[in-house]
Amino acid sequence: MTLNLRPDRSILTNVPLFHGLDEAQQDAVLAQAHTRRVPKGGTAFDEGSDATALFVLVSGHMKAVKTTPSGQQAVVHFINPNDFFGCVALMGYPAYPATAVAVVDSVVLAWDITVLKQLMATHPQIAANALPGLGDRLRDAHKQFLELSTERVERRVAHALLRLVRHAGKKVDGGVEIDFPVTRQEIAEMIGTTLHTVSRVLSAWESQGILEGGRQRIVVKKPHALVAIAEELG
């Protein structure tokens, strides 16, 4: 659903895409935005649909999911608060290559791509801010491709967990918690393996005290041990 209330400019403060804009410029950007609530399990856009808007996640968590030729679901990456997504619209692609699914109830801002390009022309800082984010996506995609092609499964699981910790880690007593619900099936979909394999690996790490698991909850108790596995330091 689209909200009629105009969002407050303060929500742009921590969004890297809009760093460096003054209050008047932030107001101009927000005046062109649409605010949407996306309930858990709902989508901001679907794979194959026309790429007509760019989005920023205000609150909640989402994931980009792609359907493989065999009909299986693959988690491309998770989307965290303040991230922009749907960036293929900005790059001129006609359709979204994946579906953006809400992991929990979420709120997004959306800009029509024609309007956003006009804003970028008026405020070049937005375009400059977008480049590092696009570069990060390409670098992560390249790294994940290499992991899928060359690494044994334990290293791939470790790398996937470390990415989640880096982007959505929250310090808690005894370790670092991934700050949104994530299932073993989703981890399996991230690294191209089976639920059984991921469960076996995580259960072994739980018994070794490296992490603590639960229903859709993961706390990394020994990050250094996870890094050692990911980089084969031991």
Side-chain angles (χ1 to χ4, degrees), residues 15 19 39 84 99 104 106 112 115 128-129 152 169 175 181-182 189 210 213 230:
V15 178
H19 283 176
F84 69 88
T99 299
V104 296
S106 301
D112 178 85
V115 170
N129 290 339
R152 61 188 179 87
V182 57
E189 291 170 0
I210 296 173

Side-chain angles (χ1 to χ4, degrees), residues 208-224:
Q208 296 167 30
I210 296 173
L211 57 84
E212 177 181 294
R215 189 175 181 274
Q216 301 186 20
R217 178 178 183 267
I218 296 175
V219 177
V220 178
K221 301 176 70 176
K222 298 179 180 178
H224 60 283

Side-chain angles (χ1 to χ4, degrees), residues 121-135:
T122 305
H123 311 294
Q125 185 62 43
I126 301 175
N129 290 339
L131 291 176
L134 294 173

Side-chain angles (χ1 to χ4, degrees), residues 14-16 56-62 79-84 167-168:
N14 296 316
V15 178
V56 165
L57 182 60
V58 176
S59 64
H61 284 279
M62 304 190 75
I79 303 162
N80 301 303
N82 303 319
D83 287 349
F84 69 88
H167 293 298

